[in-house]
Amino acid sequence: AQSVAQPEDQVNVAEGNPLTVKCTYSVSGNPYLFWYVQYPNRGLQFLLKYITGDNLVKGSYGFEAEFNKSQTSFHLKKPSALVSDSALYFCAAAFYNQGGKLIFGQGTELSVKP
Amino acid sequence: EAQVTQNPRYLITVTGKKLTVTCSQNMNHEYMSWYRQDPGLGLRQIYYSMNVEVTDKGDVPEGYKVSRKEKRNFPLILESPSPNQTSLYFCASSVLGGEQFFGPGTRLTVL
């Protein structure tokens, strides 16, 4: 079955340090991959996406993600974390060539401390 | 302003009382979708639509209905709500293959 996994419920990082939020997927075919962020009491906002091409994708607010086909991973990264990055992050995979289904991971709570 | 709107934002109801949550987008998007968000489970897709009169089941369609009679609207219908449908619901839209634009969410409580 197709699935998206975020193995860490919570990631704690000190401000100024690099951060990584992990995402792996188990799918057939070539999914479109996305990262979204949800701030407290807010809806979800798009950060970045991968469809094809360069394995390193740059997105909003200084975030980037690295697509690794052999490891079926799409980890979110940022070189220097900010306290304002603290939020809930979701990885998602879409299958537009298989009907349009979209699967989200469970979410990772990122906490950046000063 | 490009946006996805949902109504109502908050709803408390009782078991078995039919309800509809409306969703509307003004971006001429082909794709629309409903999700529910529950702690520890992330977002789970309920139904999606790739165009007018085309709808399909997501991962958790039981107990829900949708319709897509117009491109801009995608209402979510709960014919006979039950307490396990208490959740935070999001509507979203996108161009095919593009990022989802999410509505503000509807917090539903079924007593």
Side-chain angles (χ1 to χ4, degrees):
Chain A
Q2 298 163 332
S3 65
V4 175
Q6 294 178 240
E8 300 156 318
D9 290 335
Q10 184 157 13
V11 170
N12 298 308
V13 178
E15 188 175 32
N17 283 1
L19 70 87
T20 298
V21 182
K22 295 179 180 176
C23 173
T24 60
Y25 60 93
S26 174
V27 301
S28 57
N30 298 310
Y32 293 29
L33 298 167
F34 301 84
W35 275 101
Y36 292 88
V37 60
Q38 185 179 32
Y39 297 101
N41 300 313
R42 302 275 296 276
L44 281 84
Q45 298 176 32
F46 167 76
L47 280 178
L48 50 79
K49 70 179 177 184
Y50 174 84
I51 300 176
T52 61
D54 194 346
N55 289 345
L56 187 63
V57 179
K58 294 192 183 297
S60 307
Y61 312 122
F63 284 93
E64 56 191 26
E66 186 170 12
F67 171 69
N68 187 317
K69 187 169 185 177
S70 62
Q71 297 184 5
T72 61
S73 66
F74 189 55
H75 300 333
L76 181 70
K77 300 182 179 186
K78 188 173 183 181
S80 179
L82 300 172
V83 172
S84 58
D85 292 330
S86 299
L88 186 57
Y89 290 80
F90 290 99
C91 180
F95 306 90
Y96 292 108
N97 59 349
Q98 297 174 35
K101 200 170 184 179
L102 202 149
I103 299 175
F104 279 79
Q106 310 95 305
T108 298
E109 186 80 43
L110 173 66
S111 177
V112 182
K113 300 292 188 194
Chain B
E1 180 190 355
Q3 59 182 347
V4 177
T5 56
Q6 296 178 226
N7 283 291
R9 295 288 313 280
Y10 302 90
L11 179 60
I12 300 174
T13 189
V14 295
T15 298
K17 187 176 181 181
K18 181 179 179 179
L19 67 92
T20 299
V21 184
T22 64
C23 174
S24 183
Q25 51 97 3
N26 62 1
M27 295 167 279
N28 202 36
H29 287 163
E30 300 90 354
Y31 189 94
M32 295 188 75
S33 182
W34 276 102
Y35 305 91
R36 58 178 290 173
Q37 182 177 8
D38 302 288
L41 298 176
L43 274 83
R44 294 178 291 169
Q45 191 173 44
I46 302 171
Y47 271 96
Y48 62 94
S49 168
M50 294 182 77
N51 215 327
V52 176
E53 302 291 359
V54 179
T55 63
D56 212 338
K57 296 177 181 178
D59 281 333
V60 289
E62 296 78 19
Y64 304 95
K65 284 176 57 177
V66 293
S67 67
R68 186 93 182 271
K69 295 184 172 59
E70 306 164 284
K71 198 171 187 179
R72 63 183 295 128
N73 296 323
F74 191 46
L76 179 70
I77 303 159
L78 285 72
E79 295 269 4
S80 183
S82 63
N84 64 13
Q85 292 178 298
T86 292
S87 188
L88 178 58
Y89 291 86
F90 287 102
C91 179
S93 72
S94 71
V95 298
L96 288 177
E99 65 267 26
Q100 303 269 289
F101 287 78
F102 284 85
T106 295
R107 189 167 292 279
L108 172 66
T109 301
V110 183
L111 302 174

